[in-house]
Amino acid sequence: MNTQPLDLVVVGAGISGIAAAKFYLDIHPNCNLVLLEKDGYVGGVWNSTRVFDSFFTQSPLGVWEFSDLPMSKPPDEDIYNETFRAKYTFQYLEKYIDYYKYAGRSIRDRILFSFDVLRITKTGNTWNIAGKDKSGLYTSIQSHKIIIASGLTSVASMPTLPGRESFGKPILHQKDFGQSTVLSDPDVQNITVLGGAKSAADMVYDCVIAGKTVTWVIRGIGTGPGFFVSTETGPSPRTIYSLSTMRIMSSLSPSIFNADSWWNRFLQRTRFGRKQLRKFWDGVDKSVVESPKFDDRGEDAKRRGFHNLKPVTPIFWQNQAAGLINRPDFWDTIAGKVNVYRQDIDMLDQGTIRLQNGEIIHADAILCGTGWVPSLSFFDKDLAAEMGIPQPVNTYPQEKAEKWNRLEKAADQEVLDRFPLLADPPEHYHTLVTHTPYRLYSGIAPLEDNSIAFVGHVLIANYFRVSECQAIWATAFLDGKIKLPSLEERQKDVAIFLAWCRRRYLSNGDRGHWMSAEQTGYTDRLFHQVGLSSHRRFWLWDSFAPSSNKDLFRVRAEYIKKHGRDVEVLDVAKSTKSITKGNSIRSIHTASESSQSSYHSPARQQSDTTPTKRFSGAFSWLYRTLTRFAR
């Protein structure tokens, strides 16, 4: 049978995968595009099987959404300080994939659910995606281009627990907590939660509220507990978001995405400027650490080990996890009802956990908020090395490792010359490096293949905004619309980013994708490379006004005006997508489609907080803060 490959396959239907597919269809409305989703639902970490009661967004209403479709306001009881329960993100994404139609078909119509990608290879100019469909049959799909949107929270990282096989009780990762019965099971009364990040904190709180006896264990050897910021005593989530997305605020962080302006040079390369930066960040750190009163809650909290939740590295360096507290009684609940340990686990045995200090904890279940591992195992080691994506360090070619070591050593000196503040990090624990870092140009593109892009593989604050920007960049890249520098210049660019990332974010920077404070600078760079500027504002507003998803509303039209859009009518009924099941071939035929996509942009709902009010409130808070810490 004569078959033809698809135009594009998107692996993953979370926020990034949906954004990537949607913008590619905006530009190529008649293309043969398929999304492959391992779960039975869209949303990735936000899908309905993975959310639970204390799982809230970390961004406020009006921000945690795409630029072209506003999210309906959740009920008041599901909103806390403008953040809201995660289940409404899933409902929003469900609506979004049905909202737009291209040649008569929605995004949902193009998703193959419960498709487990097992292997991705390349033959000539064609990508081959092998996997199992929802019926369990092995299937093969071919495509000219591919976008990997499998994300950073797909594959659970489970700790090595000696004696696990004899424990005899449930051991679950946070990924499975939402659909588990541990909170309602009367036989589960004693729960131990492992991990120091926000997911562990959320599970601890939920278990306590469910009436369970809870123990929280954080490794003794590690980066320690995360920074959990209370919005009851500090600025609101909207103020935090507004400040973090002001371009003027980016000057307070040594970022390679900042312009090399006189102001940034003053702050970063003069002793007086660095002194003011240290004062500011010391003040922020002090405010966050003092708020929970780790050492001032009485003997009962001290006996329970509440002080073990005190972060060990200053918040500026972000060597550990961070997150917003979404419950007003979180710290009081933990201090009064949870036993907290900073210990490593020695052994599990028949419903007990023995810590390395000899203490025994009785547990009916163990919940692991222990993070994630790279979700790219469907690439073999040779292709992974060629693409510049993580793989075990012991499988990475020695020649490539030596080349990158030379490049990154030279880049490190360049970073220190520009940001002397990064030359003197505090004493800290450095996590053992087991995988090579991401080495992607602009966090998206391999250095030597222009038929594949990776989106959603950077750790950054607002995934909706960044996903839209990455989708635009990836489309332009796959279509050859970006004028790329030479290979040598791109290699140097990647090396500088990695050297900066390691200096700026310590252990987290080793992964080559951590830029949690760089949302505005990073997205500005992506748009600049594509030749777009309609997201920028006029004069001082551009520096002092908070960036918003709404700023992207005009970008699609600007892109089409600059780079064009397909209008050719394709008889896609003649084009089939070859899908191999075992030894047989199954062809999916698409009906003839019109070249007109039914794209329509709804009028955005008016926010209760206008841009002017957001600007005024955020700037006032910034002014007071800077004045206070500069004294």
Side-chain angles (χ1 to χ4, degrees), residues 167-334:
F167 181 64
K169 303 289 184 179
I171 301 176
L172 304 174
H173 191 269
Q174 177 255 331
K175 181 177 182 179
D176 303 309
F177 178 62
Q179 56 184 332
S180 73
T181 60
V182 293
L183 296 185
S184 59
D185 188 343
D187 294 329
V188 177
Q189 291 300 317
N190 299 292
I191 296 178
T192 295
V193 178
L194 308 182
K198 182 63 165 56
S199 59
D202 288 341
M203 290 191 292
V204 166
Y205 182 88
D206 263 16
C207 291
V208 173
I209 296 303
K212 310 297 183 180
T213 299
V214 182
T215 301
W216 191 350
V217 178
I218 301 169
R219 286 193 309 159
I221 300 176
T223 57
F227 271 95
F228 305 128
V229 180
S230 172
T231 58
E232 287 290 306
T233 56
S236 71
R238 187 172 299 280
T239 299
I240 292 173
Y241 180 83
S242 296
L243 288 169
S244 67
T245 60
M246 288 181 185
R247 291 181 177 87
I248 191 65
M249 273 294 288
S250 65
S251 303
L252 302 180
S253 176
S255 173
I256 60 171
F257 298 106
N258 291 343
D260 192 23
S261 65
W262 69 269
W263 173 245
N264 285 318
R265 289 194 297 272
F266 166 73
L267 287 177
Q268 303 295 339
R269 301 183 201 174
T270 68
R271 290 183 180 180
F272 182 80
R274 292 194 295 274
K275 182 178 180 180
Q276 303 314 308
L277 290 179
R278 289 191 184 97
K279 282 185 177 181
F280 174 79
W281 284 106
D282 286 348
V284 173
D285 191 75
K286 182 179 179 181
S287 175
V288 173
V289 172
E290 287 184 350
S291 175
K293 301 179 181 178
F294 291 116
D295 301 313
D296 189 26
R297 284 188 176 260
E299 288 302 315
D300 183 60
K302 184 176 181 180
R303 177 181 58 82
R304 289 182 176 277
F306 182 67
H307 58 280
N308 288 321
L309 292 176
K310 189 174 183 178
V312 295
T313 308
I315 193 171
F316 168 83
W317 297 95
Q318 295 191 35
N319 195 45
Q320 61 274 79
L324 297 179
I325 295 301
N326 303 105
R327 298 291 191 169
D329 61 341
F330 175 83
W331 290 121
D332 292 340
T333 299
I334 303 304

Side-chain angles (χ1 to χ4, degrees), residues 535-554:
H535 67 293
R536 301 297 292 262
R537 302 190 186 190
F538 178 71
W539 199 42
L540 290 178
W541 278 96
D542 193 58
S543 295
F544 288 93
S547 298
S548 166
N549 291 25
K550 300 175 181 64
D551 298 340
L552 310 184
F553 193 60
R554 297 179 298 275

Side-chain angles (χ1 to χ4, degrees), residues 115 118 130-133 135-140 579-584:
F115 189 99
L118 302 176
K132 286 196 299 184
D133 65 17
S135 63
L137 294 176
Y138 286 93
T139 301
S140 178
I579 300 181
T580 308
K581 285 188 171 184
N583 294 323
S584 65

Side-chain angles (χ1 to χ4, degrees), residues 29-30 102-103 565-570 593-598:
N30 305 296
Y102 301 87
R565 174 176 180 263
D566 289 352
V567 294
E568 181 183 2
V569 178
L570 302 178
E593 299 172 335
S594 163
S595 66
Q596 300 301 314
S597 63
S598 57

